[in-house]
Amino acid sequence: MGTFNRLHLIRQVDLFTLRLFLSAIEERQIGRAAIRENIAASTATKRIQVLEDIAGIQLLERGPKGVVPSPAGAVLARYVRQIMDSLEDMRSEITEFTEGVRGQLAIASARTIFVPFLARELGEYSREHPLVSLSVHDVENADIVQQVVHGEADIGVFAAAYELDLDGVDVTPYRQDRLVALVPPNHWLSERASVTFQDLLLENLIAVPSMLGAYRAAARRLAQEFEPSYTVRSAGVAISLVRAGLGVTVQPECLVTREVQASAAVLELAEPWAVRKIHIATARGRTLSPAARGFVRQLLDRPGDETEHLTYF
């Protein structure tokens, strides 16, 4: 690295990268900052490396438990926060001179998508469009598409699932993450880097409703039948049972927090269906309102490569 160059920083660094840098400091992990900002982890890592190259100095100190700002990074973070606060003040003042988009917007999705992805998007959308009344429907993955078809939701964001009926909706790819296996820390599988579904079939496999179809299809390919030892409604309950030593489960990688990693082994699921593809559903033949069009545009208008799965650093 060279020396700090103010003109290079002004000319070459965009506001999104500066916000990503703040998120990495606040989350203490570049992978979780990537989730927060809805970009791929590899893209986030590259952006921060480019930022350090432009600044000419190390901004983050990297370790096995994550990242912390270097002394120079702490100084930059302080000024970036001032910039972001000024931008928010500017937005608030300009909003007073413009009416903006009005109307109502109903979003249907599942908790495993709201928590890591949509909650922040909805918060940003609400701040940018204060005259839009938001309605959030937290429903099972299988019910999201039907809510859109029946007009109960303007937009549905769902995970592709086995035998999911998509009749009556237009589908747009949004993003993807990976499914991982979680086992108790002292489990015989815990020392392995990856497992197959056949490995998991030997154990008490804890299932949530959205995964049952995939489990049964995978079991049939192995000429076996699958009936879960435990069926629970939420990923959080499934993970808590694993941490208590009652079985194993498969869950989206984006839900694996540092707390979970400290009390369960997280293993790669070596199966072709381990990629969880997330899509946006809108009613076929129905014109989207300006509010709905704006939210879909926000979801899709993200820089970087969204096709890679998220990892943790």
Short mmCIF file of all heavy atoms in Angstrom, two decimals, residues 256-281:
data_model
loop_
_atom_site.label_atom_id
_atom_site.label_comp_id
_atom_site.label_asym_id
_atom_site.label_seq_id
_atom_site.Cartn_x
_atom_site.Cartn_y
_atom_site.Cartn_z
N VAL A 256 -27.10 -18.50 10.34
CA VAL A 256 -26.10 -19.02 11.27
C VAL A 256 -25.31 -17.84 11.87
O VAL A 256 -24.41 -17.30 11.23
CB VAL A 256 -25.15 -20.01 10.57
CG1 VAL A 256 -24.13 -20.56 11.57
CG2 VAL A 256 -25.95 -21.16 9.96
N THR A 257 -25.67 -17.46 13.07
CA THR A 257 -25.01 -16.35 13.74
C THR A 257 -23.75 -16.82 14.45
O THR A 257 -23.49 -18.02 14.57
CB THR A 257 -25.96 -15.71 14.76
OG1 THR A 257 -26.26 -16.70 15.78
CG2 THR A 257 -27.27 -15.27 14.10
N ARG A 258 -22.98 -15.87 14.97
CA ARG A 258 -21.79 -16.22 15.76
C ARG A 258 -22.19 -17.04 16.98
O ARG A 258 -21.47 -17.96 17.40
CB ARG A 258 -21.06 -14.94 16.19
CG ARG A 258 -20.34 -14.25 15.04
CD ARG A 258 -19.39 -13.19 15.57
NE ARG A 258 -20.06 -12.12 16.24
CZ ARG A 258 -20.51 -11.02 15.66
NH1 ARG A 258 -20.36 -10.86 14.35
NH2 ARG A 258 -21.10 -10.06 16.35
N GLU A 259 -23.33 -16.72 17.59
CA GLU A 259 -23.80 -17.47 18.76
C GLU A 259 -24.07 -18.92 18.40
O GLU A 259 -23.72 -19.83 19.15
CB GLU A 259 -25.06 -16.81 19.32
CG GLU A 259 -25.61 -17.50 20.55
CD GLU A 259 -26.91 -16.87 21.04
OE1 GLU A 259 -27.40 -15.95 20.36
OE2 GLU A 259 -27.41 -17.30 22.08
N VAL A 260 -24.70 -19.14 17.24
CA VAL A 260 -24.96 -20.52 16.80
C VAL A 260 -23.66 -21.24 16.51
O VAL A 260 -23.46 -22.40 16.90
CB VAL A 260 -25.86 -20.51 15.55
CG1 VAL A 260 -25.97 -21.92 14.96
CG2 VAL A 260 -27.25 -19.98 15.90
N GLN A 261 -22.72 -20.57 15.84
CA GLN A 261 -21.44 -21.20 15.52
C GLN A 261 -20.67 -21.61 16.77
O GLN A 261 -19.91 -22.57 16.74
CB GLN A 261 -20.59 -20.22 14.70
CG GLN A 261 -21.09 -20.03 13.27
CD GLN A 261 -20.27 -18.99 12.54
OE1 GLN A 261 -20.08 -17.88 13.02
NE2 GLN A 261 -19.79 -19.34 11.37
N ALA A 262 -20.92 -20.90 17.88
CA ALA A 262 -20.21 -21.21 19.12
C ALA A 262 -20.77 -22.45 19.82
O ALA A 262 -20.10 -23.03 20.68
CB ALA A 262 -20.26 -20.02 20.07
N SER A 263 -21.99 -22.86 19.45
CA SER A 263 -22.62 -23.97 20.17
C SER A 263 -23.12 -25.09 19.26
O SER A 263 -23.83 -25.97 19.71
CB SER A 263 -23.79 -23.43 21.00
OG SER A 263 -24.71 -22.72 20.19
N ALA A 264 -22.75 -25.04 17.98
CA ALA A 264 -23.12 -26.12 17.05
C ALA A 264 -22.07 -26.15 15.95
O ALA A 264 -21.42 -25.15 15.65
CB ALA A 264 -24.51 -25.89 16.47
N ALA A 265 -21.90 -27.32 15.34
CA ALA A 265 -21.00 -27.46 14.20
C ALA A 265 -21.77 -27.17 12.92
O ALA A 265 -22.87 -27.71 12.72
CB ALA A 265 -20.39 -28.85 14.17
N VAL A 266 -21.22 -26.32 12.08
CA VAL A 266 -21.85 -25.93 10.81
C VAL A 266 -21.07 -26.58 9.67
O VAL A 266 -19.87 -26.33 9.50
CB VAL A 266 -21.86 -24.40 10.65
CG1 VAL A 266 -22.60 -24.02 9.37
CG2 VAL A 266 -22.50 -23.74 11.86
N LEU A 267 -21.74 -27.43 8.90
CA LEU A 267 -21.07 -28.23 7.87
C LEU A 267 -21.66 -27.94 6.50
O LEU A 267 -22.87 -27.67 6.37
CB LEU A 267 -21.23 -29.72 8.17
CG LEU A 267 -20.95 -30.17 9.61
CD1 LEU A 267 -21.28 -31.65 9.75
CD2 LEU A 267 -19.51 -29.89 10.00
N GLU A 268 -20.82 -28.00 5.48
CA GLU A 268 -21.30 -27.87 4.11
C GLU A 268 -22.22 -29.05 3.79
O GLU A 268 -21.91 -30.20 4.15
CB GLU A 268 -20.13 -27.85 3.14
CG GLU A 268 -20.58 -27.78 1.68
CD GLU A 268 -19.42 -27.91 0.71
OE1 GLU A 268 -18.26 -27.95 1.19
OE2 GLU A 268 -19.67 -28.01 -0.50
N LEU A 269 -23.34 -28.78 3.15
CA LEU A 269 -24.23 -29.84 2.69
C LEU A 269 -23.89 -30.14 1.24
O LEU A 269 -24.16 -29.34 0.34
CB LEU A 269 -25.69 -29.42 2.83
CG LEU A 269 -26.74 -30.45 2.38
CD1 LEU A 269 -26.63 -31.72 3.23
CD2 LEU A 269 -28.14 -29.86 2.48
N ALA A 270 -23.26 -31.27 1.00
CA ALA A 270 -22.76 -31.62 -0.33
C ALA A 270 -23.88 -32.25 -1.17
O ALA A 270 -23.88 -33.46 -1.45
CB ALA A 270 -21.57 -32.56 -0.21
N GLU A 271 -24.85 -31.44 -1.51
CA GLU A 271 -25.99 -31.88 -2.32
C GLU A 271 -26.29 -30.82 -3.37
O GLU A 271 -26.12 -29.62 -3.11
CB GLU A 271 -27.22 -32.09 -1.45
CG GLU A 271 -27.10 -33.19 -0.42
CD GLU A 271 -27.10 -34.59 -1.03
OE1 GLU A 271 -27.46 -34.72 -2.23
OE2 GLU A 271 -26.76 -35.55 -0.33
N PRO A 272 -26.72 -31.22 -4.56
CA PRO A 272 -27.03 -30.23 -5.60
C PRO A 272 -28.17 -29.29 -5.21
O PRO A 272 -28.25 -28.17 -5.72
CB PRO A 272 -27.40 -31.09 -6.82
CG PRO A 272 -27.73 -32.44 -6.26
CD PRO A 272 -26.89 -32.60 -5.04
N TRP A 273 -29.05 -29.72 -4.31
CA TRP A 273 -30.17 -28.87 -3.91
C TRP A 273 -29.83 -27.99 -2.70
O TRP A 273 -30.71 -27.36 -2.12
CB TRP A 273 -31.42 -29.72 -3.60
CG TRP A 273 -31.19 -30.89 -2.68
CD1 TRP A 273 -30.80 -32.14 -3.03
CD2 TRP A 273 -31.32 -30.92 -1.25
NE1 TRP A 273 -30.70 -32.95 -1.93
CE2 TRP A 273 -31.02 -32.24 -0.82
CE3 TRP A 273 -31.69 -29.97 -0.30
CZ2 TRP A 273 -31.05 -32.60 0.51
CZ3 TRP A 273 -31.72 -30.34 1.03
CH2 TRP A 273 -31.40 -31.65 1.43
N ALA A 274 -28.54 -27.92 -2.35
CA ALA A 274 -28.15 -27.12 -1.19
C ALA A 274 -28.12 -25.62 -1.48
O ALA A 274 -27.96 -24.82 -0.57
CB ALA A 274 -26.78 -27.56 -0.68
N VAL A 275 -28.25 -25.23 -2.74
CA VAL A 275 -28.35 -23.81 -3.07
C VAL A 275 -29.81 -23.39 -2.94
O VAL A 275 -30.69 -23.95 -3.59
CB VAL A 275 -27.85 -23.54 -4.50
CG1 VAL A 275 -28.07 -22.07 -4.86
CG2 VAL A 275 -26.39 -23.88 -4.63
N ARG A 276 -30.06 -22.41 -2.06
CA ARG A 276 -31.42 -21.91 -1.87
C ARG A 276 -31.64 -20.70 -2.77
O ARG A 276 -31.04 -19.65 -2.57
CB ARG A 276 -31.67 -21.53 -0.40
CG ARG A 276 -33.13 -21.19 -0.12
CD ARG A 276 -33.39 -20.93 1.35
NE ARG A 276 -32.86 -19.68 1.82
CZ ARG A 276 -33.47 -18.88 2.70
NH1 ARG A 276 -34.65 -19.22 3.19
NH2 ARG A 276 -32.91 -17.76 3.11
N LYS A 277 -32.49 -20.87 -3.77
CA LYS A 277 -32.76 -19.79 -4.73
C LYS A 277 -34.00 -19.00 -4.28
O LYS A 277 -35.06 -19.59 -4.05
CB LYS A 277 -32.95 -20.36 -6.12
CG LYS A 277 -31.71 -21.06 -6.65
CD LYS A 277 -31.93 -21.63 -8.05
CE LYS A 277 -30.66 -22.30 -8.55
NZ LYS A 277 -30.84 -22.87 -9.91
N ILE A 278 -33.83 -17.70 -4.16
CA ILE A 278 -34.89 -16.83 -3.68
C ILE A 278 -35.40 -15.98 -4.84
O ILE A 278 -34.61 -15.40 -5.59
CB ILE A 278 -34.40 -15.94 -2.52
CG1 ILE A 278 -33.86 -16.82 -1.38
CG2 ILE A 278 -35.51 -15.04 -2.00
CD1 ILE A 278 -33.23 -16.06 -0.25
N HIS A 279 -36.73 -15.91 -4.98
CA HIS A 279 -37.35 -15.24 -6.11
C HIS A 279 -38.38 -14.22 -5.64
O HIS A 279 -38.89 -14.28 -4.51
CB HIS A 279 -38.04 -16.25 -7.03
CG HIS A 279 -37.13 -17.31 -7.56
ND1 HIS A 279 -36.16 -17.06 -8.49
CD2 HIS A 279 -37.04 -18.64 -7.28
CE1 HIS A 279 -35.52 -18.18 -8.78
NE2 HIS A 279 -36.04 -19.15 -8.05
N ILE A 280 -38.69 -13.30 -6.55
CA ILE A 280 -39.77 -12.33 -6.34
C ILE A 280 -40.96 -12.77 -7.17
O ILE A 280 -40.82 -13.06 -8.37
CB ILE A 280 -39.32 -10.92 -6.77
CG1 ILE A 280 -38.10 -10.47 -5.96
CG2 ILE A 280 -40.47 -9.91 -6.64
CD1 ILE A 280 -37.43 -9.23 -6.51
N ALA A 281 -42.14 -12.82 -6.55
CA ALA A 281 -43.36 -13.20 -7.25
C ALA A 281 -44.30 -12.00 -7.34
O ALA A 281 -44.53 -11.30 -6.34
CB ALA A 281 -44.07 -14.35 -6.53
#
